Amino acid sequence: MKRTALLTFVLLLALPLFVYSQALDEKIKEIDDYANVVSNTWKGPGMAIAIVKDDKVVFAKGYGARELGKNEPVDENTVFAIASNSKAFTTAGLAILIDEKKLAWDDKVSKYLPEFRMYDPWVTSELTIRDLVSHRSGLDTFSGDLLWYETNFTPDEVLSRVRYLKPVSSFRSRYGYQNLMFIAAGRVIERISGKSWSHFIKERILDPLGMSRTTTSIKDLKYNAAIPHNESGGTLRVLQRGNVDAADSAAALNSSVADLSKWMRLQLGRGKFENKQIFSPQRSWEMWQPNIMIPISENGSRSLPSRHFNSYGLGWFIYDYQGRKIINHGGGLDGMLSNTVLIPEENAGFVVLTNSEYPGYAVMMNKIRDVLVNAPKRDWNAEAIEQVKRAKAAAEADLKKVDAARVPNTKPSLPLADYAATYSDELYGAITVAQENGRLVMRFSHSPNFVSDLEHWHHDTFQIKWRPSVSYNFPRGFVTFTIDRNGRTEELKIDQPNNDFWFYELHPKRVEQAAASR
C-alpha cells in the first residue's frame, strides 16, 4: 500500500512535467507545419527558425534553399545577414564597458568623440550615449542612410557628414530610427577599448558564446551562407551580397539561427550564458526599459488590440502583447529580412531569418509569438496575402496617376549634352550626369553601383532607370533639372520614392561641366 501511494505521489509530481512537454511538442509541430505552408506560399527561397525555452534550444530548422535554382538546402547553421539585429550587440558591448566602469549611459558623446557634430551645436553638446542608442536624436527615421548604403565612405567619413542633416523634431521629443547614431556608438566602443568594433564584439561576445559561424563582415563569410534575393519586374532575382562595413555597428553582422540561439539564451539569462557573466543583470534591466515612446496608429491598434504601448529601449524594441512584455528587433538588407523576439515572462525566444523580401519572416514572427503566449488563433499568412494584393493595387493606381500627369509631346529645354555636368551636395558629394551613346547616365561618385539611365519624361524631367547593379528594388523615380536665367542647368532634383533612403535630403548643384560625351 505504501509503495502504491509513493508511486501515485511520484506520478502526480511528474504529471505537470509530462503535460508541459506534450504541450510544447504540440506547439513545435504547429509552428513547423505553419512554416511549411508559409514557405510554399511565398517561395522564399529560404528560411531558418530557432526557438529557445527555459535555456534550451527546443527547435532549430531550415526551410528551402540558400540560392534560387540550386540544390543547397538551408539548415540551422546557414548564415544570413541579420542587419539591424546587430544593434543589440552594440548596446551589449557598451553594457560590458559600463560594467567595467569605463563608460555610463548618460556620458556625453563629446567626451569620447570630440570631433562629432550634429546640425545644432547645443544638441552636439548635450547628446549622450543613451541618446545614440534609443533613436531620440531629433533626426528623421533613416535620415542620412545614403551615406553608408553601398558607399565607399568609412564610418568616420559617414559621421563627419552628420552635421549637415537637419533635424525634423526637437531633441529627445520624438522617435526617429537612426543607423548613423549607432555607427557613432560603435566608434565610442573603439575609442574606449582601443579595439575595432568588430574585434571587440568578437572577443567579448561572439567567442565567449561560441558563436563561431557569426561574422562582422561579409568579407569573412564561410561555407553554408545564404544568398539574398528580391523581386524586380515581378521576377525573383539573385542579388550580390551588400557590403555594409561603413555601418558595421548598426547593421553588419551575419549569423545562423544556431548561433543566435546562444545569443537569445544570453539575453534571457540576463547577461549570463553557461556560467559566463558577459554583462550584469543591471545592464540587462536597463537595456529593456523604454527610453522613447513610439506612437501606435489606429490601424496598428486594430491589428494588435492587446498591445497598449510601443517603445524603444537601448538596442531593442519593447511592447506588450497578450499581457506579456515583448523584447524584439528586426533586420533588413537587400534580399535578407529577419526578426529576433524575446518573451521574458515565458523564458522563451525565437529568431526567424530569410533570404528574400517576402512577408514570410513577419508572418512566422507573428505566428510563433502567438503560439508561445497561447494567443487566439489567427491566420497571419492569409492576412499577409490580402495585404500584398491591396498594396500592389494601390501601387498600380499611383502609377496611373503619374502617367496621367505626364505632359505629352514636350522636349527637353536644352540639347542633352548641356545637361551633362557634375552636381555636388555638401552632405553626399558629387553626382555626375554624362551623355553616353546618345542618352544621359547618372552616377553617384561614392556609390559605385548606383548607376542609372535617364529617359526623357516631360519638359526637363527624366525618368530614372536604375541598372541591375542596384540591388534595391526602387519604384519609378524622376530627376528634374532646374535651368538658370542663362539657359544653363543649375540644380539636380531627385524624386525617388521608396521606404528607406531619402534622396530629398540631397541638394546637388552644378559645379563643373562633365567630361566630353562618349
Side-chain angles (χ1 to χ4, degrees):
M1 183 69 179
K2 289 181 180 179
R3 290 183 62 189
T4 303
L6 179 62
L7 181 60
T8 302
F9 178 70
V10 170
L11 287 172
L12 286 172
L13 284 176
L15 184 60
L17 297 176
F18 174 75
V19 171
Y20 165 79
S21 176
Q22 186 181 44
L24 181 59
D25 288 345
E26 290 173 357
K27 289 180 178 182
I28 295 301
K29 185 179 185 306
E30 181 180 353
I31 289 167
D32 186 27
D33 290 345
Y34 205 78
N36 283 309
V37 171
V38 170
S39 295
N40 289 331
T41 298
W42 302 104
K43 310 297 182 187
M47 175 172 65
I49 297 171
I51 303 171
V52 299
K53 171 73 174 170
D54 298 331
D55 202 33
K56 293 182 176 62
V57 181
V58 297
F59 184 73
K61 183 177 178 180
Y63 303 83
R66 290 180 240 161
E67 182 176 353
L68 186 69
K70 293 189 177 180
N71 186 25
E72 297 175 340
V74 171
D75 60 28
E76 70 274 17
N77 293 308
T78 301
V79 173
F80 295 75
I82 66 170
S84 286
N85 287 289
S86 305
K87 290 179 170 66
F89 286 80
T90 295
T91 52
L94 291 168
I96 291 169
L97 294 172
I98 293 172
D99 282 334
E100 295 174 350
K101 301 190 185 308
K102 296 176 180 177
L103 176 71
W105 295 120
D106 294 315
D107 280 352
K108 301 292 178 60
V109 174
S110 58
K111 178 179 179 180
Y112 307 102
L113 304 178
E115 75 283 6
F116 183 63
R117 298 283 186 274
M118 299 288 285
Y119 186 82
D120 185 328
W122 181 80
V123 175
T124 299
S125 67
E126 294 298 312
L127 191 72
T128 66
I129 306 301
R130 187 187 301 274
D131 296 321
L132 291 182
V133 295
S134 58
H135 304 304
R136 59 186 202 182
S137 67
L139 292 176
D140 200 2
T141 289
F142 302 147
S143 179
D145 278 0
L146 282 170
L147 293 175
W148 62 263
Y149 174 75
E150 294 281 352
T151 70
N152 51 25
F153 286 125
T154 66
D156 287 335
E157 288 172 332
V158 170
L159 293 181
S160 71
R161 295 165 183 262
V162 171
R163 68 191 68 189
Y164 301 118
L165 289 169
K166 294 181 180 180
V168 295
S169 68
S170 57
F171 186 42
R172 295 180 185 149
S173 68
R174 199 175 90 184
Y175 165 83
Y177 189 87
Q178 257 299 307
N179 288 300
L180 303 187
M181 297 301 105
F182 267 86
I183 297 174
R187 301 291 78 73
V188 170
I189 290 175
E190 293 184 348
R191 293 288 172 89
I192 295 173
S193 69
K195 300 172 182 177
S196 70
W197 174 85
S198 175
H199 187 178
F200 184 88
I201 295 300
K202 185 176 187 303
E203 181 183 83
R204 303 301 299 274
I205 300 177
L206 304 182
D207 288 348
L209 297 186
M211 296 177 67
S212 59
R213 292 189 54 74
T214 301
T215 71
T216 58
S217 171
I218 61 167
K219 297 173 184 176
D220 303 322
L221 283 179
K222 303 172 184 178
Y223 61 93
N224 192 4
I227 300 293
H229 305 74
N230 69 8
E231 273 195 12
S232 180
T235 302
L236 193 66
R237 61 174 177 167
V238 177
L239 302 175
Q240 60 189 357
R241 290 191 177 96
N243 185 341
V244 294
D245 287 357
D248 52 6
S249 48
L253 284 174
N254 309 277
S255 191
S256 67
V257 296
D259 270 11
L260 289 169
S261 295
K262 300 171 183 177
W263 169 245
M264 291 188 291
R265 289 170 60 199
L266 170 72
Q267 290 291 330
L268 292 166
R270 301 303 201 277
K272 192 173 186 178
F273 175 81
E274 296 183 352
N275 297 318
K276 301 173 187 174
Q277 196 74 50
I278 307 299
F279 51 83
S280 67
Q282 178 64 27
R283 301 290 86 80
S284 172
W285 177 265
E286 291 163 355
M287 288 185 281
W288 288 1
Q289 296 306 304
N291 276 264
I292 190 75
M293 301 309 295
I294 304 172
I296 298 174
S297 67
E298 290 187 27
N299 285 337
S301 181
R302 282 191 288 270
S303 177
L304 295 178
S306 74
R307 181 181 59 172
H308 303 96
F309 80 92
N310 193 18
S311 66
Y312 200 88
L314 304 175
W316 292 99
F317 288 96
I318 306 161
Y319 64 98
D320 70 320
Y321 184 71
Q322 298 291 334
R324 278 81 158 183
K325 185 177 184 178
I326 306 293
I327 313 295
N328 82 296
H329 215 292
L333 284 174
D334 296 321
M336 295 268 189
L337 298 176
S338 54
N339 257 310
T340 304
V341 179
L342 306 171
I343 313 174
E345 289 150 309
E346 299 291 338
N347 200 19
F350 62 91
V351 61
V352 181
L353 307 179
T354 62
N355 60 343
S356 73
E357 296 177 7
Y358 294 131
Y361 82 106
V363 170
M364 287 311 305
M365 184 271 288
N366 288 324
K367 176 63 176 179
I368 299 170
R369 181 191 59 199
D370 279 4
V371 170
L372 292 180
V373 303
N374 299 308
K377 299 291 184 184
R378 184 169 173 179
D379 192 348
W380 292 99
N381 198 46
E383 290 184 29
I385 291 170
E386 290 304 312
Q387 288 169 0
V388 168
K389 286 181 181 177
R390 289 195 297 269
K392 286 184 177 179
E396 290 172 1
D398 287 342
L399 285 177
K400 289 179 180 178
K401 289 180 182 178
V402 174
D403 287 338
R406 184 179 188 180
V407 181
N409 304 319
T410 66
K411 294 182 179 180
S413 301
L414 308 172
L416 287 186
D418 289 353
Y419 294 92
T422 296
Y423 302 82
S424 188
D425 171 77
E426 64 180 0
L427 173 66
Y428 177 86
I431 298 171
T432 63
V433 175
Q435 185 182 7
E436 300 176 13
N437 301 317
R439 68 193 316 170
L440 296 179
V441 178
M442 179 172 65
R443 289 183 168 86
F444 286 64
S445 60
H446 296 289
S447 312
N449 292 331
F450 267 37
V451 182
S452 68
D453 297 298
L454 302 182
E455 294 184 357
H456 184 250
W457 182 254
H458 63 197
H459 300 304
D460 294 309
T461 296
F462 293 75
Q463 185 176 349
I464 299 171
K465 294 283 190 177
W466 294 107
R467 292 186 179 177
S469 58
V470 178
S471 293
Y472 194 97
N473 192 17
F474 287 111
R476 187 161 61 184
F478 300 93
V479 163
T480 299
F481 295 85
T482 61
I483 313 296
D484 66 18
R485 63 183 180 181
N486 297 316
R488 190 171 180 264
T489 58
E490 182 177 33
E491 186 175 356
L492 193 65
K493 294 184 177 180
I494 304 172
D495 176 15
Q496 176 56 80
N498 69 97
N499 296 320
D500 299 289
F501 302 104
W502 307 152
F503 287 86
Y504 59 75
E505 292 184 325
L506 307 182
H507 304 284
K509 292 180 169 51
R510 182 178 180 134
V511 292
E512 61 185 54
Q513 185 69 31
S517 302
R518 284 180 266 172

